[in-house]
Amino acid sequence: MSDASLLPLPSADRPDVAARLREALLGAAFTADGLLDLLGAPAYAALARSETVPALRATRGDTPLETLVRLFLLQQPAPRARVADVLPVADCLDSGWLTVTGADEVTATVDVRPYAGSDGEDWFIVSDLGCAVGGAGGIGRRAEGVVLGVGGASTTLAGITVRTPVSSALDLGTGSGIQALHAAQHATRVTATDLNPRALHITALTLALSGASPADLRQGSLFEPLRDGERYDLIVSNPPFVISPSQRLTYRDGGMGGDDLCRSLVQGAGERLNVGGFAQFLANWQHVEGEDWQDRLRSWVPRGCDAWIVQREVQDTTQYAELWLRDAGDHRGDVAEYEARYDAWLDEFEARKVRAVGFGWITLRRTDAAVPSVTVEEWPHPVEQPLGDTVRAHFERLDYLRSRDDAALLEERFRLVTEVVQEQVGLPGAEDPEHVVLRQNRGMRRATRVDTVGAGFAGVCDGSLTAGRILDAIAQLVGEDPVLLRDRTPAQIRLLVEQGFLEPVG
């Protein structure tokens, strides 16, 4: 399927029409909360799986909201007279948001999905028809150049992004513009790039319909659209990270061999960041036979950058190929063609000695530290989004620990973070636990095992005593040499601070 099969887009040069359309949508409660109230939780959740039947059943009436849901989310034609009661039809037809499908009916030319901003803002994400709601293969065979709406990856990246006020932000590979929309709330200047000119057009529509300031839109691959020496305080990207044997779908396939696109993106970000600036990406990476995947990722980190890389999921090569074949709707087509594409995917992995593919988050921070910190870890467990503050705090703790040697650390005061609980694990009736676990109930929801000294130390930390004085008291209680205890405990204290169980006081 070629780009020729895609419908013409609404004009991006009519902000007046976008403003009137936005006002009409809000007036009819065409918002995330309004949809949930109308459809109910089951039908609302079904939409996210690309199942439209429950929503169709829930919108059989002719209220303004039901009309808009059927028109913009379910791609159903609607009587022109009925739509005219809700929208400025003449303006929408003239600017291309709607088109006439019969003597007395109109239909939408794009999907418009209500989306709640991080502070409860009512936004609208524009995408190609059938692409506003997620789900594997939800729109059948996808066209090359198609622009998707909001999916799980989009919301994940939005949730982990650090949201401090900045002068400049770059959304690299903007797609439908959701990351640029978020960035516009806390960045003075937003630049959005994409290889696909259709995506830039749709980003302009998303920003206008959401009432956000326009972005500086530039066409090109990776960092090519940027000028020499141009740097940013924040770079975000949900790139076409899929490791595939072809560049068949622009929104998905990076067009480079293996995970080279993600590697190039990460390696190129360092020189585009201002000192203290963050670059945050979603990425896939290969698990290659005979190679440590963590070492592979460490090699991607550019000089002068701290890094925190979290692997959230690993799939074997068959699972991975099936996931993305279904995403493209290939399983709905010719069986022989599907099998040939599946076979080609496995051939590609075999040639590269790839045994599995990892998915996760990569955060870089430009630093002037002499020795940057690189953390690569696997954390497949549930977390609490949004995580932007958690990510920012992680790097602040790195700065704190880097600036203090062990002697200085023992002169500091710490407090056990409020949401941390202690669990004791052991046989029923045993006098002492086999081990003690500290567990977070917020953020990353980490759990870490500590020895009796570590548990006792954390339990006493309320900010009133220095770490050294607490260790001296523990040494007296357990009959251990306080000098030896002071020598061996700072490493455990550093770990508890780094992972967010303890926080410095003062």
Side-chain angles (χ1 to χ4, degrees):
M1 192 182 292
S2 67
D3 288 354
S5 65
L6 297 172
L7 292 176
L9 294 171
S11 171
D13 300 323
R14 294 291 305 275
D16 56 323
V17 175
R20 286 194 289 274
L21 177 56
R22 172 178 171 77
E23 183 179 356
L25 296 177
L26 293 176
F30 187 63
T31 63
D33 288 341
L35 284 185
L36 182 58
D37 290 341
L38 171 67
L39 301 178
Y44 190 78
L47 270 181
R49 303 191 300 269
S50 289
E51 297 293 348
T52 58
V53 172
L56 287 167
R57 291 172 60 86
T59 55
R60 296 179 189 179
D62 62 355
T63 66
L65 181 54
E66 287 171 305
T67 300
L68 293 177
V69 171
R70 293 176 71 87
L71 188 67
F72 284 116
L73 278 183
L74 304 177
Q75 286 80 63
Q76 300 295 306
R80 177 170 178 166
R82 181 71 196 99
V83 176
D85 291 336
V86 187
L87 302 178
V89 167
D91 286 340
C92 290
L93 287 170
D94 181 58
S95 58
W97 289 94
L98 300 176
T99 186
V100 176
T101 56
D104 60 353
E105 287 188 328
V106 296
T107 189
T109 58
V110 288
D111 265 311
V112 176
R113 174 178 175 173
Y115 177 82
S118 52
D119 291 323
E121 303 95 338
D122 289 316
W123 293 337
F124 300 98
I125 310 300
V126 180
S127 62
D128 276 310
L129 287 176
C131 301
V133 290
I139 61 169
R141 304 297 294 278
R142 288 180 169 166
E144 181 183 353
V146 71
V147 179
L148 305 189
V150 180
S154 301
T155 55
T156 294
L157 179 59
I160 68 173
T161 300
V162 176
R163 298 295 175 196
T164 52
V166 294
S167 296
S168 57
L170 169 65
D171 177 12
L172 197 153
T174 187
S176 60
I178 180 176
Q179 310 304 330
L181 182 55
H182 276 283
Q185 312 309 305
H186 63 103
T188 304
R189 174 174 58 89
V190 176
T191 302
T193 71
D194 206 290
L195 183 62
N196 182 2
R198 189 175 182 87
L200 297 176
H201 190 135
I202 283 181
T203 291
L205 298 175
T206 289
L207 294 172
L209 196 58
S210 298
S213 300
D216 178 5
L217 304 176
R218 306 183 193 176
Q219 184 182 356
S221 176
L222 296 178
F223 298 100
E224 289 175 2
L226 305 188
R227 295 183 286 272
D228 289 345
E230 195 170 10
R231 295 189 176 189
Y232 294 85
D233 302 310
L234 175 67
I235 299 173
V236 292
S237 183
N238 177 18
F241 52 65
V242 176
I243 300 170
S244 67
S246 66
Q247 190 179 6
R248 187 160 60 96
L249 297 172
T250 306
Y251 74 88
R252 186 193 74 179
D253 306 318
M256 297 185 184
D259 52 16
D260 283 353
L261 181 133
C262 290
R263 177 186 54 79
S264 298
L265 180 62
V266 174
Q267 289 181 337
E271 63 182 7
R272 292 297 182 174
L273 281 175
N274 290 319
V275 174
F278 287 92
Q280 298 185 262
F281 315 107
L282 300 186
N284 279 184
W285 43 79
Q286 298 173 149
H287 285 229
V288 179
E289 183 179 341
E291 178 184 62
D292 185 293
W293 68 270
Q294 294 181 323
D295 289 343
R296 182 182 190 85
L297 289 172
R298 288 188 185 95
S299 73
W300 291 8
V301 178
R303 294 180 60 185
C305 286
D306 292 325
W308 184 20
I309 302 173
V310 182
Q311 179 167 273
R312 295 287 290 156
E313 183 180 0
V314 180
Q315 291 186 326
D316 66 45
T317 54
T318 60
Q319 292 173 310
Y320 189 80
E322 290 164 15
L323 169 67
W324 294 108
L325 287 167
R326 287 180 173 274
D327 173 83
D330 291 326
H331 63 302
R332 300 178 185 270
D334 179 78
V335 173
E337 185 178 356
Y338 171 82
E339 291 178 347
R341 284 180 172 154
Y342 196 155
D343 199 44
W345 223 307
L346 297 185
D347 281 345
E348 175 80 3
F349 284 137
E350 186 175 337
R352 294 180 176 276
K353 297 183 178 180
V354 176
R355 296 296 175 257
V357 177
F359 169 84
W361 319 325
I362 297 177
T363 299
L364 306 177
R365 185 188 60 165
R366 185 81 185 187
T367 181
D368 52 11
V371 182
S373 169
V374 177
T375 301
V376 184
E377 63 176 318
E378 185 164 20
W379 190 253
H381 311 293
V383 299
E384 183 189 47
Q385 285 274 34
L387 279 169
D389 287 345
T390 300
V391 173
R392 175 185 49 77
H394 169 86
F395 289 93
E396 290 176 349
R397 292 192 297 268
L398 289 182
D399 287 341
Y400 172 86
L401 292 171
R402 234 179 339 221
S403 65
R404 289 160 175 82
D405 60 18
D406 287 353
L409 195 68
L410 293 179
E411 294 303 313
E412 295 287 317
R413 290 174 169 83
F414 299 97
R415 180 189 299 118
L416 187 66
V417 174
T418 305
E419 67 271 10
V420 173
V421 297
Q422 177 178 302
E423 300 174 358
Q424 297 189 136
V425 181
L427 294 174
E431 183 175 345
D432 296 314
E434 293 180 14
H435 59 266
V436 177
V437 173
L438 299 181
R439 188 179 301 278
Q440 300 168 349
N441 289 322
R442 305 293 299 275
M444 289 292 287
R445 293 178 173 164
R446 292 188 184 278
T448 188
R449 181 184 297 189
V450 292
D451 60 21
T452 54
V453 170
F457 179 87
V460 174
C461 281
D462 61 2
S464 61
L465 298 175
T466 66
R469 289 190 63 186
I470 292 174
L471 290 180
D472 291 344
I474 292 175
Q476 186 174 2
L477 285 173
V478 300
E480 186 169 342
D481 185 333
V483 175
L484 294 178
L485 193 61
R486 279 174 170 255
D487 283 344
R488 70 177 176 84
T489 307
Q492 190 169 189
I493 296 174
R494 286 184 182 277
L495 180 63
L496 291 175
V497 173
E498 181 182 341
Q499 295 190 342
F501 292 95
L502 295 177
E503 59 185 6
V505 176

